[in-house]
């Protein structure tokens, strides 16, 4: 084969980048806490791949900053490994055009230079997340019906609407579909979509910059408030308090509130006053889709990608991936990319070859505090029971603090939940431990390296 033939065409290179980006997402998902991952990494996507230069785009200034400062080396490393060549990776701030639209209609150009005063508080809405692309099945019928109803008549039917369910089951899709449908039906409606994490970030920034009055004015000037992943507020007392007041202000004006969470209100570690308000509204859960629904979703995605997907392949994937629609989509993209690169058609045996190793036996294990405890105890040659016990000896207290810190960094558990996992300690003890370890990491490079190494082992789950 001549050198020329070996080079990938432009489209092929971009397809390869898309597949490599999927893989990068999977790896980062293991390393970054879930709300951050969902808000700042999942929303970014490949934009260009020319001559070893990769551009990843995001529409959020914060995400750009965060990706550049915390994750660029890792992203570059994974992409290089996937694509087999040295790369320069750049994170680019995208305008709101393209596949992403803004929830608030922005003034037409010329725009004033962006200052914080002008910055919309809503996160952008993804134009793919609309009702038309949402497949309804027995698992999500109620949530979908309620979502349509509140989009049609905000503030009139179910208020608040609380949608909950596991990862990758369509909560964000439904919330954003509500926003976009409402914007179509009621031009001029003020829609704000924000994740619990972004709300926290906005509030903390407002506090730091003494702009809470502006924060309140912006947040309370809303007709439809969509708050995604509110479990993120757990353990953040001041933000939760502010959220409570914002909630009441919006609700008392008769405006529509829609919330999502990965668990039911009764299982959330939030202020009881808030939980009782949620429970007064409409609760709708989304369960894992059954086989027929999974097949229907695959069919619909394949059709929208113009991808020929034989029924037997649909059945194969739908049987392989059962509990997460995001993974279902990921599998399809991977298969599509692979088949295009190899210039071959999609068959069950190709699907087995490409997907078996990713989704076959072992999905990456979930990290929880007990896994952290096992790894830390193992490293320091002590018992897990010591970490949970009350012994104040230095040899135990140090590892205990470290295990609390790593639980905070690596798991989705809230501070109170971590406290409980360590023999029923208070969440303030966990905060204290995290501060001590963070200070030590900042001062002591060898210690920082040890923490990194332990974190890596916990993620890989070697000894667990
Ligand atoms: P969650 O917010 O619950 O973690 P998402 O809303 O992000 O999940 O959904 C994950 C992916 O699966 C998205 O790309 C979304 O479009 C897709 N998805 C989820 N549910 C459905 C559905 N019922 N029909 C079509 N696509 C879906
Ligand atoms: Mg989500």
């Amino acid at each position: 084969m001549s050198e020329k033939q070996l080079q990938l065409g432009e489209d092929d290179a971009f397809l390869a980048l898309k597949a490599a980006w999927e893989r990068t997402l999977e790896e980062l998902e293991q390393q970054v806490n879930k709300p951050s991952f969902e808000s700042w990494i999942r929303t970014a996507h490949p934009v260009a791949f020319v001559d070893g230069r990769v551009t990843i785009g995001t529409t959020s200034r914060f995400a750009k900053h965060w990706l550049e400062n915390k994750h660029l080396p890792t992203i570059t490393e994974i992409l290089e490994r996937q694509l087999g060549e040295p790369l320069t990776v750049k994170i680019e701030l995208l305008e709101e055009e393209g596949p992403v639209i803004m929830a608030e209609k922005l003034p037409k150009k010329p725009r004033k230079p962006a200052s914080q005063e002008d910055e919309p508080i809503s996160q952008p809405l993804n134009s793919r997340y609309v009702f038309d692309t949402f497949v309804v099945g027995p698992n999500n019928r109620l949530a979908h019906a309620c979502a349509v109803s509140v989009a049609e008549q905000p503030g009139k039917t179910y208020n608040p609407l609380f949608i909950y369910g596991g990862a990758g089951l369509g909560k964000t899709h439904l919330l954003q579909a509500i926003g976009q449908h409402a914007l179509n039906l009621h031009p001029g409606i003020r829609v704000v979509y924000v994740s619990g994490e972004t709300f926290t970030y906005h509030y903390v920034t407002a506090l730091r910059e003494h702009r809470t009055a502006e924060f309140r004015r912006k947040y309370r000037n809303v007709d439809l408030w969509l708050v995604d992943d509110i479990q993120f507020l757990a353990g953040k007392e001041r933000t939760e308090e502010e959220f409570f007041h914002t909630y009441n202000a919006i609700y008392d004006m008769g405006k529509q509130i829609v919330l999502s969470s990965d668990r039911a209100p009764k299982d959330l570690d939030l202020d009881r006053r808030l939980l009782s308000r949620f429970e007064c509204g409409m609760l709708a859960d989304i369960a894992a889709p059954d086989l027929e629904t999974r097949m229907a979703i695959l069919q619909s995605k394949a059709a929208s990608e113009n991808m020929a997907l034989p029924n037997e392949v649909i059945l194969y994937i739908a049987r392989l991936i059962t509990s997460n629609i995001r993974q279902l989509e990921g599998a399809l993209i991977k298969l599509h990319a692979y088949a295009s690169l190899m210039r071959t058609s999609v068959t069950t045996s190709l699907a087995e070859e490409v997907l078996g190793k990713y989704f076959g036996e072992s999905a990456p294990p979930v990290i929880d505090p007990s896994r952290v405890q096992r790894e830390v105890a193992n490293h320091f040659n002590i018992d897990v029971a010591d970490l949970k016990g009350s012994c104040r000896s230095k040899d135990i207290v140090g590892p205990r603090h470290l295990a609390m810190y790593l639980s905070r960094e690596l798991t989705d558990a809230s501070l109170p939940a971590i406290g409980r996992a360590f023999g029923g300690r208070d969440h303030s003890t966990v905060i204290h431990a995290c501060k001590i370890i963070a200070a030590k990491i900042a001062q002591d490079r060898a210690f920082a390296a040890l923490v990194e190494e332990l974190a890596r082992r916990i993620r890989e789950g070697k000894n667990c």
Side-chain angles (χ1 to χ4, degrees):
M1 211 184 277
S2 76
E3 211 179 356
K4 206 158 195 173
Q5 279 171 298
L6 269 171
Q7 287 177 350
L8 294 172
E10 220 170 272
D11 288 350
D12 289 341
F14 189 64
L15 258 178
L17 172 64
K18 271 174 85 174
W21 181 246
E22 281 299 308
R23 186 79 194 119
T24 309
L25 290 181
E26 280 169 22
E27 291 196 23
L28 289 173
E29 196 167 13
Q30 302 307 311
Q31 302 180 18
V32 177
N33 77 44
K34 187 160 162 278
S36 307
F37 179 81
E38 293 300 328
S39 307
W40 313 126
I41 301 185
R42 169 87 64 206
T43 48
H45 54 88
V47 177
F49 183 16
V50 184
D51 292 339
R53 288 195 309 275
V54 167
T55 308
I56 303 294
T58 171
T59 51
S60 153
R61 204 178 298 271
F62 176 65
K64 173 172 163 23
H65 178 77
W66 187 81
L67 286 169
E68 280 174 347
N69 285 291
K70 282 188 85 163
H71 297 289
L72 202 55
T74 316
I75 290 173
T76 308
E77 189 261 311
I78 302 173
L79 286 174
E80 283 179 342
R81 185 156 29 85
Q82 293 296 314
L83 294 166
E85 58 176 298
L87 300 170
T88 313
V89 181
K90 189 174 101 195
I91 312 291
E92 191 173 278
L93 187 64
L94 303 175
E95 291 283 324
E96 64 272 14
E97 62 237 5
V100 170
I101 61 169
M102 296 301 287
E104 284 182 346
K105 299 266 183 270
L106 291 169
K108 288 264 172 271
K109 293 188 173 163
R111 280 167 63 182
K112 283 187 282 172
S115 77
Q116 265 195 335
E117 180 74 29
D118 297 331
E119 238 176 63
I121 53 172
S122 182
Q123 292 172 245
L125 300 177
N126 184 326
S127 58
R128 285 194 305 121
Y129 292 170
V130 290
F131 286 127
D132 282 347
T133 56
F134 192 83
V135 175
V136 182
N139 61 314
N140 58 27
R141 185 160 283 126
L142 175 69
H144 174 262
C146 296
V148 173
S149 164
V150 300
E152 287 174 349
Q153 296 184 289
K156 299 279 176 340
T157 52
Y158 309 112
N159 206 11
L161 169 61
F162 188 104
I163 296 175
Y164 65 98
L169 293 182
K171 301 181 295 295
T172 297
H173 190 139
L174 271 186
L175 255 60
Q176 298 210 355
I178 293 173
Q180 304 193 60
H181 196 46
L183 280 165
N184 285 337
L185 293 177
H186 315 285
I189 189 173
R190 291 162 303 180
V191 175
V192 168
Y193 166 87
V194 73
S195 68
E197 180 165 37
T198 301
F199 181 85
T200 306
Y201 171 72
H202 284 162
Y203 181 57
V204 171
T205 308
L207 271 181
R208 195 179 53 227
E209 296 175 355
H210 308 291
R211 302 167 82 117
T212 44
E214 183 191 323
F215 172 92
R216 294 195 177 119
R217 182 176 51 70
K218 277 186 169 179
Y219 260 103
R220 292 171 193 192
N221 198 12
V222 160
D223 300 311
L224 171 56
W225 194 34
L226 307 158
V227 193
D228 209 353
D229 289 321
I230 57 154
Q231 73 275 2
F232 189 80
L233 298 181
K236 304 192 174 57
E237 279 166 31
R238 284 188 76 182
T239 308
E240 206 185 317
E241 184 71 21
E242 185 65 28
F243 181 85
F244 179 70
H245 295 304
T246 310
Y247 181 100
N248 288 339
I250 295 176
Y251 185 85
D252 290 344
M253 286 185 286
K255 307 301 189 185
Q256 179 71 48
I257 300 176
V258 184
L259 307 143
S260 91
S261 158
D262 65 352
R263 62 202 88 170
K266 67 177 175 38
D267 299 321
L268 275 170
D269 267 322
L270 291 176
D271 188 332
R272 295 180 75 98
R273 296 174 302 170
L274 258 181
L275 298 183
S276 68
R277 278 165 175 72
F278 298 164
E279 275 160 355
C280 289
M282 179 73 188
L283 302 183
D285 77 317
I286 308 185
D290 60 14
L291 183 70
E292 282 76 15
T293 310
R294 297 200 297 280
M295 291 175 70
I297 291 171
L298 284 168
Q299 256 150 2
S300 134
K301 305 268 175 212
S304 71
E305 296 277 318
N306 278 331
M307 176 182 180
L309 198 61
N311 274 334
E312 56 171 34
V313 179
I314 290 184
L315 192 61
Y316 172 81
I317 304 176
R319 287 215 171 106
L320 188 66
I321 299 163
T322 55
S323 59
N324 185 326
I325 297 169
R326 187 172 298 124
Q327 286 183 351
L328 214 54
E329 282 184 344
L332 209 59
I333 293 174
K334 219 170 265 149
L335 198 56
H336 189 30
Y338 197 88
S340 307
L341 282 176
M342 296 296 148
R343 309 209 190 292
T344 166
S345 55
V346 177
T347 60
T348 310
S349 61
L350 183 78
E352 276 169 7
E353 189 188 324
V354 178
L355 304 176
K357 64 174 182 290
Y358 290 122
F359 299 100
E361 330 75 275
S362 54
V366 178
I367 303 178
D368 60 11
S370 66
R371 184 159 150 186
V372 175
Q373 289 168 342
R374 283 199 297 278
E375 189 65 57
V376 171
N378 188 36
H379 176 82
F380 290 98
N381 229 344
I382 56 178
D383 290 334
V384 168
D386 291 330
L387 294 175
K388 299 181 180 182
S390 54
C391 173
R392 306 280 316 147
S393 132
K394 230 175 84 192
D395 298 346
I396 303 293
V397 172
R400 186 183 291 142
H401 284 166
L402 180 54
M404 287 182 183
Y405 172 87
L406 287 168
S407 297
R408 182 72 179 141
E409 288 290 305
L410 301 177
T411 76
D412 284 339
S414 64
L415 289 166
I418 295 172
R420 280 197 296 280
F422 284 81
R425 288 181 156 82
D426 192 73
H427 75 275
S428 58
T429 311
V430 183
I431 294 176
H432 177 66
C434 292
K435 280 192 188 146
I436 291 177
I437 298 296
K440 199 159 173 208
I441 289 174
Q443 285 163 6
D444 181 343
R445 287 177 72 170
F447 181 73
L450 167 71
V451 175
E452 261 311 300
E453 170 62 16
L454 277 171
R456 194 183 56 76
R457 273 194 246 157
I458 292 163
R459 282 190 211 106
E460 289 173 3
K462 290 265 161 62
N463 294 312
C464 305

